[in-house]
Amino acid sequence: MKTILTNKHIAIETRKRALQCYIEPVLMYGCEAWTISKQIQNKLEATEMWFLRRMLQIPWTAKKTNERVLNEANKRRSLVRIIRKRQATFLGHVMRRGKLEHLVTTGKFEGKRSRGRQRERIMDGLATWLGPGEVSDILAAVKDRDLWRDMIANAYKQGI
């Protein structure tokens, strides 16, 4: 794909479409189950910028900011937003189903908690992405499909 994505004779819109169709699905495989910490989010954003810089053939020695590269490519950062949207959609499906996955996602297991700082859960990341509210509010909103779709659409539009 390198020859297609870096070819100057192909329009940038076509190359961005090829990136979106062939590369991003491989990159995001299984993203519905990821816990995205700030460190992982930074790495995903860096990967997205790396792809754009390679497509535009901008060397690392060129002192162009990421914002300038995004303007040149006429693109917004979207990788993390797409992953969060997929996670929220999958969470709605799992919560309405109410099987074993529901127990795993909500963390309602019997037994001892591990020592030390508790790990970040998928629900914590989605709660911050969807806006102000508690995890219990989100679990209640999942039951109503229309409300849940509206919440996801609003959070996606805001680009948080």
Side-chain angles (χ1 to χ4, degrees):
M1 293 302 298
K2 180 181 177 183
T3 55
I4 294 171
L5 294 177
T6 58
N7 191 343
K8 286 279 190 177
H9 299 295
I10 300 173
I12 186 68
E13 294 300 322
T14 308
R15 290 184 279 162
K16 286 190 313 189
R17 188 75 176 154
L19 178 74
Q20 185 181 7
C21 292
Y22 293 109
I23 308 296
E24 286 182 4
V26 175
L27 178 67
M28 293 189 295
Y29 179 76
C31 68
E32 292 87 357
W34 294 353
T35 302
I36 299 181
S37 63
K38 191 65 179 169
Q39 182 182 13
I40 292 173
Q41 182 175 340
N42 290 341
K43 287 182 180 183
L44 286 169
E45 289 174 354
T47 302
E48 188 174 15
M49 290 308 301
W50 184 81
F51 283 132
L52 284 176
R53 285 178 184 270
R54 291 291 297 233
M55 282 187 348
L56 297 172
Q57 296 180 351
I58 299 172
W60 286 107
T61 55
K63 297 192 178 208
K64 285 193 176 182
T65 63
N66 287 341
E67 297 304 318
R68 198 163 151 204
V69 172
L70 288 168
N71 287 339
E72 193 173 322
N74 195 19
K75 187 171 172 23
R76 290 177 55 194
R77 289 185 190 228
S78 61
L79 191 62
V80 176
R81 287 182 23 224
I82 292 170
I83 290 172
R84 290 287 191 198
K85 183 178 179 184
R86 283 184 172 192
Q87 286 180 337
T89 306
F90 182 70
L91 179 78
H93 171 71
V94 166
M95 290 301 167
R96 282 188 295 273
R97 193 161 175 232
K99 302 267 178 160
L100 178 64
E101 297 92 354
H102 181 275
L103 292 174
V104 171
T105 307
T106 55
K108 294 183 179 177
F109 277 113
E110 293 185 25
K112 290 185 174 182
R113 289 178 27 179
S114 59
R115 292 178 59 195
R117 180 179 174 188
Q118 297 300 309
R119 292 184 177 183
E120 185 177 347
R121 297 175 300 177
I122 294 174
M123 292 295 299
D124 299 332
L126 283 175
T128 57
W129 183 70
L130 288 170
E134 296 291 322
V135 175
S136 59
D137 298 336
I138 292 172
L139 293 176
V142 168
K143 302 294 183 196
D144 183 11
R145 280 186 189 207
D146 294 329
L147 175 64
W148 186 243
R149 282 188 194 129
D150 291 341
M151 285 177 68
I152 293 171
N154 289 336
Y156 187 77
K157 284 178 191 174
Q158 290 175 357
I160 300 172

